[in-house]
Amino acid sequence: MTAIPLVDLAAQHAQVADEVAEGWAEVLAKTAFIGGAPVGAFEAEFAAYCGVAHCVGVGNGTDAIELALRALGVGPGDECVLPANTFIATAEAVARAGATPVLVDCTDDTLLIDVDQLESVVGPRTKAILPVHLYGQTAPVERIRPIADAVGAAVVEDAAQSQGARRHGRAAGSLGDIAATSFYPGKNLGAYGDAGGVVTDNADLAQRVRLLREHGSPRKYEHPELGFNSRMDTLQAVVLSAKLRRLEGWNTARRAAAARYDDLLAALPSVGRPVVLDGNEPVWHLYVVRVADRDRVLAGLNAAGIGAGIHYPVPVHRTGAFSALGTGSFPVAEKTAGELLSLPLFAEITPAQQERVVEVLSGLVP
């Protein structure tokens, strides 16, 4: 039987192949490989899509978080609060900026940052709070904002998994002071290599990011401060513009697929289905369930040709890089890390493929 991948990038590419080839041919003809017109065009398109004034294309999603933090003046002596159940890049960017990551747990239902724990960890050294819009649904930023304001901290959205998601009608990326996103190939809006973006309504912050991404240079051979080399590749901008024009349709298809999984899994009470926070319209970057004896179940799915995976098996504080941040202080993140299972989900997945996934899964759980 044909294998079912976790994500099918080939099916997505088929829909944009001609447009990408035409755009790449134009870039090659003009040899405008760095900072070409397609980069500026995509930045304007994605800013409008997010409902903000500015998008700054950068090299990758991790750089996007770090540059957003540095634009805010985050540095040594500062603290940045983030959830323990995120990809290490969120904490890594904080550390690279010279600040200290401070972790909080997630909620047991949505797995989003537990806002109720924030007041116990923020203080005079808190420079930023980084809610992570996990698996394609947004964190409750409106509840975080007053906590941040009380200590003079900024809200920096980690929006790497949420292109097109909305909360109370507002787009992810427009909810905080500044937001960072990733265009890693497997994202809902993915490049053909690494790329990232910073979005904000604040013109000063956007200009700071532009300066920092370009060797700290406002113009050639002027370097008033130390910066980075983190620019979006022109070829990637061509890809992203082509895909952005189709993103709403793809996200709609993902929502339909998630609803289909919900219906199919209703007959398996031992499989914990995702919980959507009231007010959210997710884009289902991942469809993550919870099962007992997860590693055995995953092995069984993979053996049957089902490309299931895990996001994420190790909370931030359990990694070697951040082991000093605490052990045993984040019980929900630690418990769920052993239960989470990502099922195949992409815009082109068919009902028959989803039925096959659930059929195999049903033979592996009580």
Side-chain angles (χ1 to χ4, degrees):
M1 185 170 289
T2 304
I4 302 172
L6 180 64
V7 59
D8 190 346
L9 296 181
Q12 187 180 82
H13 172 66
Q15 300 176 53
V16 299
D18 291 343
E19 189 173 338
V20 168
E22 181 180 346
W24 279 13
E26 185 174 345
V27 172
L28 293 170
K30 293 181 177 179
T31 65
F33 302 119
I34 300 295
V39 175
F42 172 72
E43 288 174 335
E45 292 159 4
F46 191 68
Y49 182 76
C50 294
V52 298
H54 307 280
C55 170
V56 184
V58 299
N60 56 72
T62 309
D63 283 0
I65 302 172
E66 181 180 358
L67 290 168
L69 293 171
R70 288 184 179 273
L72 288 162
V74 172
D78 295 327
E79 294 180 346
C80 297
V81 182
L82 58 130
N85 63 321
T86 183
F87 184 55
I88 196 171
T90 315
E92 183 182 30
V94 172
R96 284 182 8 180
T100 300
V102 174
L103 303 181
V104 294
D105 212 346
C106 57
T107 63
D108 193 51
D109 50 3
T110 66
L111 305 179
L112 296 169
I113 188 170
D114 189 343
V115 179
D116 291 336
Q117 296 190 22
L118 286 178
E119 289 184 337
S120 66
V121 298
V122 299
R125 294 178 59 192
T126 306
K127 191 77 170 186
I129 299 175
L130 287 79
V132 176
H133 301 328
L134 196 66
Y135 304 149
Q137 71 164 317
T138 53
V141 177
E142 76 284 355
R143 292 185 57 207
I144 296 170
R145 169 63 71 188
I147 299 171
D149 288 347
V151 295
V155 177
V156 180
E157 299 171 67
D158 182 338
Q161 300 183 4
S162 61
Q163 295 107 348
R166 307 186 78 82
R167 176 150 185 81
H168 298 306
R170 292 182 59 190
S174 70
L175 305 171
D177 296 290
I178 193 168
T181 194
S182 167
F183 302 120
Y184 182 79
K187 304 299 185 187
N188 290 38
L189 181 61
Y192 287 176
D194 264 327
V198 178
V199 295
T200 182
D201 258 333
N202 187 307
D204 291 337
L205 289 178
Q207 184 55 32
R208 286 284 300 151
V209 175
R210 290 189 187 99
L211 185 76
L212 290 168
R213 75 170 176 181
E214 192 87 32
H215 299 287
S217 175
R219 58 192 62 84
K220 195 171 184 178
Y221 300 132
E222 291 185 20
H223 305 276
E225 62 181 294
L226 185 65
F228 299 83
N229 179 7
S230 184
R231 298 168 294 203
M232 178 179 285
D233 184 279
T234 308
L235 294 172
Q236 302 305 338
V238 171
V239 174
L240 292 169
S241 285
K243 288 189 172 186
L244 182 58
R245 286 187 272 278
R246 297 162 173 83
L247 183 57
E248 280 301 295
W250 289 339
N251 283 344
T252 297
R254 285 175 176 270
R255 293 185 185 105
R260 191 177 301 120
Y261 268 139
D262 283 345
D263 291 342
L264 291 169
L265 292 169
L268 299 178
S270 62
V271 178
R273 290 173 288 172
V275 175
V276 176
L277 184 67
D278 287 346
N280 272 354
E281 185 178 357
V283 291
W284 297 103
H285 172 59
L286 296 166
Y287 188 91
V288 179
V289 299
R290 293 165 65 174
V291 296
D293 201 7
R294 188 270 316 283
D295 292 346
R296 178 189 59 80
V297 174
L298 175 63
L301 287 167
N302 292 165
I306 307 298
I310 306 172
H311 300 82
Y312 300 99
V314 183
V316 170
H317 65 288
R318 292 288 195 183
T319 65
F322 290 106
S323 58
L325 295 182
T327 301
S329 305
F330 315 101
V332 178
E334 292 182 2
K335 176 177 181 292
T336 57
E339 301 173 342
L340 302 175
L341 181 67
S342 300
L343 299 182
L345 182 69
F346 42 93
E348 300 80 10
I349 196 169
T350 67
Q353 286 176 315
Q354 291 187 268
E355 289 164 6
R356 171 64 179 160
V357 171
V358 175
E359 177 188 10
V360 175
L361 179 60
S362 67
L364 297 168
V365 298

